[in-house]
Amino acid sequence: MAIRVWDYLAEYHQERADLLDAIEKVFRSGNLILGESVDGFEDEFAAYHGMSHCVGVDNGTNAIKLALQAMGVGPGDEVITVSNTAAPTVLAIDAVGARAVFVDVHEEDCLMRVDRVAEVITPRTKAVLPVHLYGQCVDMTALGRLAADHGLLILEDCAQAHGARQHGRLAGTMGDAAAFSFYPTKVLGAYGDGGAVVTADEAIDGSLRRLRYYGMEKVYYVVETPGHNCRLDAVQAEILRRKLTRLDAYIEARRAVARRYAEGLGDILDATGLTLPSVTAGNEHVYYLYVVRHPQRDTIIERLRAYDITLTISYPWPVHTMTGFRRLRYADGSLPVTERLAGEIFSLPMYPSMPRDRQDKVIGALREVLETL
């Protein structure tokens, strides 16, 4: 019984009839680009968040990129973010000609240290891009106050936080705009690539709609402002409409797996040095990933392969240490917590349809490996 960090097949078999009906609906619609399915998903995803606008795009990277462009971020600007994120967060900043500026993270939850943001603000700082990592939110109350004091924009990276809440507010509703990814592994995942931006700002919405469609708006084939071809696929949009109705159930199933891990591993933490995820006060975690820590992470991962359990690391190399971003001139050791965590974190299998016997196998195998270290 091979166990991977993520597996969609059980969920697919449960939902197959509805998913195939979604595809059939689009194929019979006579409109394969944008149209009713994309419009419907945008309206429903916006309504889920209590927001007035949602613009569907082709992937999460372009959701960040186009949102930054729509917010007026460009060459010469600086965007403050974190380095312990997926590279696309920073690639999107780079793609609009801006410079990423990094702050360190909290050791407990791996989230942006908002109290360090003011230290790196310069006259060129245009926006802050908090990453709601692993399924819970950055301290948006403090960040909102700081951004208001300094006249900065906030773009939330919600790729890993669909449905997460902070003090009752949904991720994606606490900034000027928010970018989402619907990559298949996500809490709300498509069967291919997809992304979206939500906002309450009508001007940002209008700019996004032009940017995702070549820069056209009122007259087809007439470019008003040069844009891109970044439309959300209609088939993926219709699939996402169906899955959106089950989003809260997916989240509860993830939380159940997280509770099972905590119950099965909680009694050995002090003896083994394992650290389980920490939920920050006020946050409601959706457990996109179940990220644990141990100083002998690599040995643990290697030994678990003998049990046919394959684990992953999100992420083993902070962005500022990557060859492609050395030009940002961050020396090794400049983000000490970020760098230390990168050598200790790893993800246990986490997906809503994960059977209980597989959860128990992971717990049992990990206990056995930890006892031999």
Side-chain angles (χ1 to χ4, degrees):
M1 182 175 63
I3 298 178
R4 300 182 296 171
V5 167
W6 175 76
D7 191 328
Y8 72 95
L9 289 174
E11 180 181 296
Y12 170 69
H13 290 306
Q14 294 167 7
E15 301 178 353
R16 182 173 181 273
D18 191 33
L19 296 172
L20 294 181
D21 181 70
I23 296 168
E24 181 75 5
K25 176 181 176 180
V26 174
F27 286 179
R28 289 184 176 277
S29 71
N31 191 344
L32 301 178
I33 302 296
L34 297 178
E36 177 189 348
S37 292
V38 175
D39 290 345
F41 173 71
E42 290 175 341
D43 290 345
E44 291 154 16
F45 197 63
Y48 180 89
H49 290 88
M51 300 291 275
S52 51
H53 304 289
C54 170
V55 180
V57 297
D58 54 345
N59 57 62
T61 309
N62 280 333
I64 299 173
K65 176 188 173 186
L66 269 61
L68 289 170
Q69 287 184 277
M71 295 164 69
V73 177
D77 293 329
E78 294 177 347
V79 178
I80 299 171
T81 189
V82 291
S83 183
N84 67 329
T85 182
T89 303
V90 183
L91 288 168
I93 296 171
D94 190 67
V96 301
R99 181 180 188 272
V101 175
F102 300 116
V103 294
D104 216 342
V105 298
H106 292 285
E107 185 163 347
E108 297 77 17
D109 58 17
C110 305
L111 296 173
M112 172 185 277
R113 283 197 59 172
V114 175
D115 61 333
R116 304 300 294 270
V117 171
E119 300 172 9
V120 297
I121 293 174
T122 74
R124 292 189 173 187
T125 306
K126 187 70 171 285
V128 185
L129 206 171
V131 179
H132 299 321
L133 199 68
Y134 304 148
Q136 65 174 331
C137 297
V138 171
D139 183 354
M140 293 303 294
T141 301
L143 187 60
R145 286 196 298 263
L146 183 146
D149 289 345
H150 292 271
L152 303 178
L153 297 162
I154 296 178
L155 172 62
E156 297 176 69
D157 182 342
C158 298
Q160 302 188 6
H162 309 73
R165 292 179 182 270
Q166 184 171 90
H167 302 298
R169 299 177 67 188
L170 277 167
T173 67
M174 297 178 278
D176 296 281
F180 291 83
S181 167
F182 304 121
Y183 188 76
T185 61
K186 303 301 185 183
V187 180
L188 178 62
Y191 277 74
D193 276 315
V197 180
V198 299
T199 183
D201 189 308
E202 189 170 348
I204 293 176
D205 173 73
S207 181
L208 282 165
R209 293 184 185 281
R210 289 188 294 274
L211 286 168
R212 75 165 177 187
Y213 201 83
Y214 308 112
M216 302 175 187
E217 182 180 20
K218 297 177 182 178
V219 181
Y220 284 160
Y221 305 116
V222 176
V223 172
E224 299 184 15
T225 302
H228 314 274
N229 178 6
C230 298
R231 301 169 298 227
L232 177 62
D233 180 75
V235 171
Q236 300 301 340
E238 188 61 37
I239 289 172
L240 288 166
R241 293 182 74 181
R242 310 299 177 92
K243 295 189 72 176
L244 180 59
T245 66
R246 299 186 281 271
L247 176 56
D248 291 342
Y250 297 150
I251 291 170
E252 185 47 47
R254 288 175 177 272
R255 288 173 175 157
V257 176
R259 287 193 295 270
R260 183 68 177 156
Y261 281 145
E263 293 165 0
L265 298 168
D267 65 315
I268 63 169
L269 302 183
D270 290 340
T272 63
L274 183 70
T275 301
L276 299 184
S278 172
V279 182
T280 301
N283 277 347
E284 298 176 39
H285 207 309
V286 296
Y287 295 101
Y288 166 60
L289 297 172
Y290 193 85
V291 177
V292 302
R293 292 166 45 204
H294 196 280
Q296 294 178 260
R297 182 266 315 280
D298 295 340
T299 299
I300 293 170
I301 291 176
E302 180 61 32
R303 292 186 181 179
L304 283 172
R305 291 195 180 101
Y307 295 81
D308 217 1
I309 297 171
T310 303
L311 304 185
T312 59
I313 304 167
S314 297
Y315 301 93
W317 300 286
V319 176
H320 74 282
T321 69
M322 296 179 183
T323 302
F325 288 103
R326 283 296 187 184
R327 55 190 162 78
L328 295 177
R329 299 184 183 280
Y330 281 85
D332 291 344
S334 58
L335 300 171
V337 177
T338 294
E339 293 169 36
R340 183 170 66 256
L341 290 174
E344 298 181 356
I345 56 173
F346 61 106
S347 301
L348 301 187
M350 170 58 72
Y351 50 95
S353 59
M354 186 178 182
R356 190 180 179 92
D357 63 336
R358 295 194 177 195
Q359 298 170 40
D360 290 341
K361 180 178 177 180
V362 172
I363 292 168
L366 183 54
R367 291 178 71 102
E368 289 181 13
V369 167
L370 288 169
E371 289 171 0
T372 66
L373 293 178

